[in-house]
Amino acid sequence: MSDAEEVQFKEFFSLILVILAGLAILFLVVALMISRTQPDYAPPGMTEAEAAAQLVAPTGEVNMGGPQIAEGSAAGAEESAGGGASELEGGAEVYDAVCASCHQGGVAGAPATDATDDWSERLDSQGLDTLYENAINGINAMPPRGGNSALSDEQVQQAVDYILDESGVEQ
């Protein structure tokens, strides 16, 4: 490369750098002008903080199949603190409150309540004590005590007995 070509390259490269710097400054000035003319997002009657909180608020909640309790009620506070299971009497109530959400339709591999063959096979191959143990300690996708840790062993066993009765399996 000759000296003339090298000087020409340096001049051209310097010109490109000046043009790029000028464009960057131009874009920065335009962005600042636009941001000053646009009002902050907030619907009428709301502060900007309220609007931001609404935008990041959760859109749903987890339902473990328990009874629906209004927020802020005394029963709701007791339920969220782990209480409420003592109010369930008998296998039918425990089943309705805890087990039905999965076993009624066979969700996540749970044997459906009305699947007599499935329950009969489980009872024959595992025995009643193992069914109780699995319901109390959890198995596969089923959490211990169906997800309600406040249930007693007796309540869980009553729910298992209820499911077996409903499926038509002889114990």
Side-chain angles (χ1 to χ4, degrees):
M1 181 186 274
S2 69
D3 287 337
E5 288 176 332
E6 191 173 320
V7 169
Q8 184 182 8
F9 173 77
K10 287 182 180 178
E11 288 175 356
F12 182 71
F13 189 72
S14 297
L15 178 65
I16 296 294
L17 287 177
V18 169
I19 290 172
L20 288 175
L23 283 173
I25 291 172
L26 177 69
F27 289 147
L28 181 63
V29 168
V30 169
L32 288 172
M33 290 173 55
I34 289 173
S35 70
R36 287 190 181 144
T37 60
Q38 295 290 327
D40 293 329
Y41 171 77
M46 285 182 116
T47 66
E48 189 174 337
E50 291 171 334
Q54 183 180 12
L55 287 173
V56 298
T59 58
E61 56 188 52
V62 176
N63 181 359
M64 294 298 289
Q68 299 299 317
I69 299 173
E71 265 186 57
S73 69
E78 180 185 347
E79 187 71 31
S80 65
S86 61
E87 298 170 4
L88 300 174
E89 294 182 19
E93 285 188 22
V94 173
Y95 172 82
D96 289 340
V98 180
C99 311
S101 59
C102 294
H103 286 286
Q104 201 166 37
V107 175
T113 305
D114 60 358
T116 305
D117 293 339
D118 287 346
W119 286 107
S120 180
E121 181 181 318
R122 286 172 193 272
L123 185 61
D124 291 343
S125 66
Q126 298 174 8
L128 187 59
D129 290 336
T130 302
L131 289 180
Y132 289 154
E133 183 179 324
N134 290 342
I136 291 168
N137 298 321
I139 185 169
N140 299 327
M142 180 181 155
R145 301 176 193 282
N148 187 339
S149 61
L151 290 174
S152 68
D153 288 356
E154 183 180 325
Q155 288 173 306
V156 174
Q157 290 172 354
Q158 288 173 349
V160 170
D161 291 340
Y162 176 79
I163 290 174
L164 292 174
D165 288 344
E166 287 297 302
S167 69
V169 174
E170 294 290 325
Q171 294 185 38

